[in-house]
Amino acid sequence: MNEELILLLGDKIKTKRTQKNVTLEQLANKAGVSKGLISQIENNRTVPSLPVLFNIIHSLDEDLKTFFEDMHDAANKGNVLIIRKGQEKLFEKEPVKGFSYKRILTRSVASQAADVVLLELKRNAGRKQMISTDAFECKYILKGKVEYQVEKETFTLEEGDTLFFDGRAPHRLKNVGTTEALVLVFYLF
């Protein structure tokens, strides 16, 4: 399985789960894992082991072949890919008021996986808890003023600033400007 398919797993699981009106807790119980793990998988914060993945797919009453079939087709688009303005895919990474994520690109690059996302932050939107991801993160501020806390250090970033860090370090962000903020995010797995 190539890296871009791995990045699509979370979206696929979440889509199937919501289509079937299954809660995170119900799926977790049926698959024999924690609710938090299902949430991390759906939000591309972690990649499940094969046994866990198979348990989740089985718990969704899905056939393995069918589950992966259209994912493979979507990933094989050739060497050139153009994403026009407005074609980004809106998705929910976590239920935080005022956050709006738009996936721009999920693609393997030289045996490495990358996920490129636009994050829109409403005025005063911020994450209260610290989180971590299994990726290096690169944040480019397109608009507004954002405060990032990585471990115990806090950085104030404005339009044109870039922040790069190991996402395994606990981190959080907040829009501290007077307008909506727009952040271009690169996750490098």
Side-chain angles (χ1 to χ4, degrees):
M1 183 182 303
N2 66 26
E3 288 79 7
E4 55 204 272
L5 289 179
I6 290 171
L7 291 174
L8 295 173
L9 281 175
D11 286 342
K12 182 75 171 201
I13 291 168
K14 186 173 191 172
T15 298
K16 291 291 185 183
R17 181 181 62 76
T18 55
Q19 284 174 348
K20 296 178 181 209
N21 293 317
V22 175
T23 67
L24 280 170
E25 190 168 351
Q26 289 169 329
L27 180 56
N29 288 339
K30 195 170 180 184
V33 297
S34 72
K35 179 178 158 183
L37 179 60
I38 298 290
S39 177
Q40 287 182 329
I41 292 166
E42 287 187 5
N43 293 315
N44 290 321
R45 297 201 186 283
T46 193
V47 178
S49 67
L50 281 177
V52 168
L53 177 61
F54 291 162
N55 282 345
I56 292 170
I57 294 169
H58 177 71
S59 297
L60 288 168
D61 298 319
E62 290 288 322
D63 175 68
L64 281 175
K65 183 179 184 292
T66 308
F67 183 86
F68 289 106
E69 212 164 42
D70 61 339
M71 288 174 62
H72 182 69
D73 293 342
N76 289 329
K77 295 183 180 177
N79 292 328
V80 178
L81 181 60
I82 298 173
I83 297 98
R84 301 281 183 201
K85 183 178 179 180
Q87 291 180 327
E88 309 90 354
K89 182 182 176 192
L90 189 64
F91 71 102
E92 185 179 300
K93 197 156 183 80
E94 71 251 53
V96 178
K97 187 176 179 178
F99 281 40
S100 174
Y101 286 95
K102 293 180 183 176
R103 179 162 285 119
I104 298 171
L105 173 68
T106 301
R107 192 79 176 170
S108 291
V109 181
S111 298
Q112 297 295 311
D115 196 13
V116 182
V117 173
L118 273 177
L119 171 58
E120 296 174 3
L121 296 165
K122 302 291 183 201
R123 273 186 68 205
N124 299 316
R127 185 181 295 119
K128 292 178 183 173
Q129 76 281 3
M130 300 287 272
I131 61 151
S132 61
T133 58
D134 289 332
F136 286 94
E137 298 188 23
C138 183
K139 316 288 181 149
Y140 178 77
I141 310 305
L142 294 168
K143 175 181 152 188
K145 187 175 182 180
V146 177
E147 183 179 272
Y148 255 95
Q149 181 182 351
V150 181
E151 296 185 328
K152 294 181 181 180
E153 285 190 86
T154 302
F155 309 93
T156 301
L157 306 168
E158 296 184 32
E159 185 174 324
D161 291 343
T162 301
L163 175 67
F164 180 83
F165 62 95
D166 185 341
R168 293 174 294 189
H171 58 278
R172 64 180 166 192
L173 76 157
K174 181 177 183 178
N175 181 349
V176 293
T178 57
T179 64
E180 179 177 282
L182 188 60
V183 182
L184 183 60
V185 182
F186 295 86
Y187 297 97
L188 306 168
F189 296 88

